[in-house]
Amino acid sequence: LLDNRARAALLTGRLPIRNGFYTTNAHARNAYTPQEIVGGISKEEILLPEILKKRGYVSKIVGKWHLGHREQYLPLERGFDQWFGSPNCHFGPYNTSYRPNIPVYNNSEMIGRYYEEFEIDERTGESNLTQIYLQEGLDFIFQQTLARQPFFLYWAPDATHAPVYASKHFLGKSQRGRYGDAVMELDYSVGQILAWLVTLGIDKNTFVFFTSDNGAALMSGPKQSGSNGPFLCGKETTFEGGMREPAIAWWPGHIPAGTVSYQLGSVMDLFTTSLTLAGLAAPFDRVIDGLDLTPSLFNNSMTDRPIFYYRGNQMMAVRVGPYKAHYWTWSNSWEEFNKGINFCPGQEVTGVTTHTQQEHTMQPLIIHLGRDPGEKYPISVLSKEYQTVLSRVTLIVEEHQKTLVPGQPQLNMCDLAVMNWAPPGCERLGKCLKPPQSQPWKCDWPH
């Protein structure tokens, strides 16, 4: 699950192919929510904070939303009670005559824009945004503790997304360039949140889960790219480097420190797991892909389950136990690759990291990720192991496809008129810009 598709999956417990957060404009494309996107998270979907309300939870999002920036899609319309952050990534700065800078919201009104009231120094990478987000999170926790109110805090900073930034105290402090500095600051900030829960005496009553929405980007240049260790490629691909994320669960007195679970999980599981912890059931009227992870978290028991890897409208791969079967392979096009856009720098694997979309549905590439985490050595199709795994995987994929009803794609249409020209609150700040005439077109998703 990649970037905003993962955010949609986390909050609905459903694969993007079901919740509509994908495109049908071209095959197997990574659509997302740039400023010109017309759509957003469908009103048919039920989001986690909407259900948590039934148990009196107050919900806040701090940071990046990325599920549609037009008014009807914003967090306070979708079950959140509070929001401090932005609907889009912090790309920019822009010349506002052709593209506005991205707004920062406090609840339902903008309070400024990136590169204007919320400075990000392009040259040095300095910005106080993570510190601002940290303070917002700490204040919210304090207020809810005082009110003795159950709460859900969705803390979603974006400092490691290019253009990467960190505050003055962290710039130049890591050995991994600007990206490492940003990670250091995030690590510090998470530590501050955990320490605050302890100080307020609510740590034994608060479940915390830390993860990411995709593997590290590898194409953002030497200072701004991360590393995915032994895993193949990075963000934008359905190889392990694009899909594996850190996952840390913290709950003193409930989850023993230092334990490791080998349970296969996905961000969609946080939807179902959170509802279970709140004593609530997931909606019965739709397919929920998220699994309740409480047995794994509290008893270290294992549930055998598949994980489906989608890119846009296409199931690219499926994981069953330690095995991964690739039904389609593609990193990015030769056209992009020849321009220097490379999602797998230094990691090209012949026949695996293909630059044309390769279909393997008749004979999937099967890899044992325990023996081969870098996906370099597909198992021989002549081996008994291959045949045994293939017969098991085939049944699982057939079952999945039989029950799959794709949602209405929400990421097909673009229009310059819907960009952040005049967000709510702009009048008060004198920051409204005049939109161009509406001329919708089908968005182009190059990879």
Side-chain angles (χ1 to χ4, degrees):
L1 298 168
L2 300 167
D3 204 19
N4 58 310
R5 278 85 73 203
R7 292 160 194 269
L10 187 157
L11 291 172
T12 61
R14 286 152 56 78
L15 283 163
I17 191 75
R18 291 195 219 273
N19 67 33
F21 237 66
Y22 70 103
T23 184
T24 49
N25 285 0
H27 180 250
R29 290 306 200 278
N30 291 317
Y32 71 113
T33 51
Q35 281 202 69
E36 55 270 32
I37 200 77
V38 170
I41 191 69
S42 164
K43 64 179 188 304
E44 308 300 321
E45 292 300 314
I46 304 172
L47 272 59
L48 180 57
E50 294 176 296
I51 309 174
L52 288 173
K53 265 189 172 38
K54 293 178 186 170
R55 276 271 190 273
Y57 276 76
V58 175
S59 299
K60 177 161 185 159
I61 167 174
V62 174
K64 185 168 77 168
W65 170 240
H66 230 208
L67 298 183
H69 60 270
R70 294 167 72 203
E71 278 187 62
Q72 67 267 38
Y73 300 121
L74 294 176
L76 269 60
E77 298 294 319
R78 301 313 313 263
F80 283 96
D81 301 292
Q82 299 179 32
W83 178 32
F84 187 97
S86 175
N88 310 82
C89 273
H90 55 277
F91 294 139
Y94 297 120
N95 172 338
T96 50
S97 61
Y98 69 90
R99 180 169 282 253
N101 280 322
I102 306 292
V104 174
Y105 279 76
N106 186 22
N107 295 326
S108 54
E109 291 200 344
M110 74 175 277
I111 50 168
R113 295 183 189 266
Y114 288 143
Y115 301 96
E116 295 173 24
E117 291 73 19
F118 294 88
E119 188 49 54
I120 301 167
D121 188 315
E122 266 193 303
R123 193 180 55 79
T124 63
E126 186 183 339
S127 172
N128 284 333
L129 275 171
T130 302
Q131 291 303 307
I132 295 169
Y133 289 158
L134 171 59
Q135 200 53 53
E136 282 291 323
L138 297 176
D139 289 350
F140 173 71
I141 293 167
F142 183 65
Q143 288 154 12
Q144 303 320 308
T145 307
L146 270 188
R148 303 181 70 81
Q149 187 83 40
F151 66 87
F152 166 50
L153 171 61
Y154 175 33
W155 196 71
D158 64 353
T160 52
H161 193 301
V164 171
Y165 61 79
S167 61
K168 194 171 195 154
H169 185 67
F170 292 92
L171 274 181
K173 292 293 193 297
S174 80
Q175 293 175 27
R176 285 299 314 268
R178 201 176 288 176
Y179 189 94
D181 301 345
V183 171
M184 271 182 101
E185 184 164 16
L186 291 177
D187 182 54
Y188 163 83
S189 302
V190 172
Q192 292 293 297
I193 291 170
L194 299 183
W196 192 223
L197 295 172
V198 173
T199 301
L200 294 173
I202 57 166
D203 52 312
K204 304 232 174 5
N205 204 23
T206 308
F207 172 68
V208 179
F209 200 94
F210 173 89
T211 188
S212 176
D213 55 356
N214 42 251
L218 303 181
M219 70 291 185
S220 305
K223 285 184 177 175
Q224 311 210 47
S225 292
S227 161
N228 295 309
F231 302 119
L232 187 61
C233 303
K235 180 183 171 179
E236 308 283 3
T237 74
T238 50
F239 300 112
E240 291 301 281
M243 305 297 269
R244 289 257 193 140
E245 293 102 29
I248 302 169
W250 183 90
W251 193 358
H254 298 264
I255 301 171
T259 50
V260 174
S261 170
Y262 293 95
Q263 173 64 47
L264 202 48
S266 128
V267 292
M268 294 182 294
D269 300 339
L270 294 174
F271 175 88
T272 316
T273 305
S274 300
L275 291 178
T276 300
L277 293 175
L280 291 159
F284 294 114
D285 64 343
R286 60 200 61 211
V287 175
I288 299 291
D289 297 291
L291 189 73
D292 174 15
L293 291 179
T294 55
S296 308
L297 292 168
F298 305 140
N299 307 321
N300 218 355
S301 64
M302 299 280 281
T303 306
D304 190 20
R305 60 86 75 89
I307 296 273
F308 300 99
Y309 297 63
Y310 274 83
R311 182 161 171 168
N313 58 345
Q314 181 61 56
M315 191 199 80
M316 303 289 284
V318 61
R319 170 133 180 224
V320 177
Y323 293 99
K324 182 175 178 184
H326 289 277
Y327 284 76
W328 284 81
T329 52
W330 190 39
S331 56
N332 63 326
S333 67
W334 281 118
E335 187 190 358
E336 284 190 309
F337 182 74
N338 292 332
K339 285 183 191 161
I341 300 167
N342 188 354
F343 295 152
C344 312
Q347 286 187 303
E348 298 280 325
V349 179
T350 309
V352 178
T353 59
T354 53
H355 290 287
T356 52
Q357 295 188 10
Q358 294 292 324
E359 185 172 1
H360 309 278
T361 44
M362 299 311 288
Q363 202 171 68
L365 305 181
I366 297 180
I367 284 153
H368 186 296
L369 292 171
R371 298 195 296 261
D372 178 21
E375 297 172 275
K376 292 181 176 64
Y377 310 107
I379 296 166
S380 164
V381 294
L382 303 173
S383 66
K384 189 169 183 301
E385 183 182 19
Y386 183 92
Q387 295 306 327
T388 307
V389 175
L390 180 62
S391 56
R392 188 172 169 219
V393 167
T394 302
L395 287 173
I396 287 167
V397 169
E398 282 173 358
E399 189 60 34
H400 171 65
Q401 287 171 341
K402 218 160 50 190
T403 62
L404 183 69
V405 181
Q408 188 71 32
Q410 302 296 310
L411 305 179
N412 278 353
M413 296 309 293
C414 286
D415 187 347
L416 296 180
V418 306
M419 293 202 290
N420 292 291
W421 300 103
C426 67
E427 304 84 357
R428 207 167 39 79
L429 298 172
K431 304 222 70 160
C432 302
L433 302 165
K434 192 176 182 316
Q437 220 173 340
S438 175
Q439 288 184 308
W441 78 91
K442 275 188 162 187
C443 314
D444 174 39
W445 306 108
H447 47 256

